[in-house]
Amino acid sequence: MPPDARAAYERLGHASATRTPGGLLAGPLLGIDHIGLCVADLTTAGAGWAALLGLPLVDREDVAAQKTTAGFLRMAPGAAAVELVCPMPGNAGLDKFLAQRGDAMHHIAFAVSDLSAALERLAGASIELIDHAPRPGAGGHLVAFLHPRALGGTLVELIERKP
């Protein structure tokens, strides 16, 4: 394991005697919300995933705050979903991602009951965050991202669903 990844895992409590029982997200953690896939063309990718899973692409929307268009393939009520996310003009980060990797897994999202409390707890544990405060995401929910360096290269999204 690269030294920077080992340090990130140790900050999260792995291989450490100071690990918080239940993890840093204990309390607010509700479960996996969705797996995010970055795609160049939402219509084409949506048709392929819909055919594979036998599910329609639903809840398609432009998320201006994130310069993305998103759509979801929902398995069942309460189950994790597959999110397809496509960059809108001006989203240099996702454009770069697609240029380097093509359509690929982008992030994993965990649902939390209190996003502000989760971010405060993570920041207090020196976990590197992209967002230090919640921001609007798809469906009007609040979201925040942990920096990929916090978990050895995996982008993690935290989502607080609106009632």
Side-chain angles (χ1 to χ4, degrees):
M1 179 179 293
D4 58 332
R6 179 170 301 286
Y9 281 111
E10 287 174 357
R11 280 194 304 278
L12 285 167
H14 300 278
S16 168
T18 61
R19 182 174 176 189
T20 304
L24 288 171
L25 291 177
L29 181 64
L30 300 174
I32 295 174
D33 187 81
H34 66 268
I35 304 296
L37 307 174
C38 184
V39 299
D41 183 308
L42 196 61
T43 301
T44 301
W49 281 97
L52 175 71
L53 300 175
L55 300 168
L57 184 67
V58 297
D59 301 330
R60 185 176 171 151
E61 71 172 292
D62 291 337
V63 184
Q66 294 187 32
K67 297 181 184 171
T68 62
T69 300
F72 291 85
L73 297 125
R74 300 198 184 277
M75 314 286 168
V82 175
E83 176 190 30
L84 302 183
V85 62
C86 181
M88 292 171 65
N91 188 324
L94 288 186
D95 287 337
K96 181 179 176 183
F97 180 95
L98 287 167
Q100 292 177 340
R101 301 180 192 175
D103 288 10
M105 185 173 150
H106 184 258
H107 65 273
I108 184 167
F110 295 96
V112 296
S113 60
D114 186 338
L115 183 52
S116 294
L119 291 172
E120 186 175 316
R121 186 180 289 178
L122 292 166
S126 299
I127 303 305
E128 190 172 0
L129 306 173
I130 292 174
D131 300 301
H132 293 270
R135 61 179 160 127
H141 307 300
L142 295 176
V143 301
F145 288 86
L146 282 62
H147 198 285
R149 286 186 294 254
L151 285 156
T154 300
L155 181 62
V156 172
E157 178 182 12
L158 300 177
I159 179 170
E160 181 180 324
R161 295 191 149 285
K162 70 178 183 179

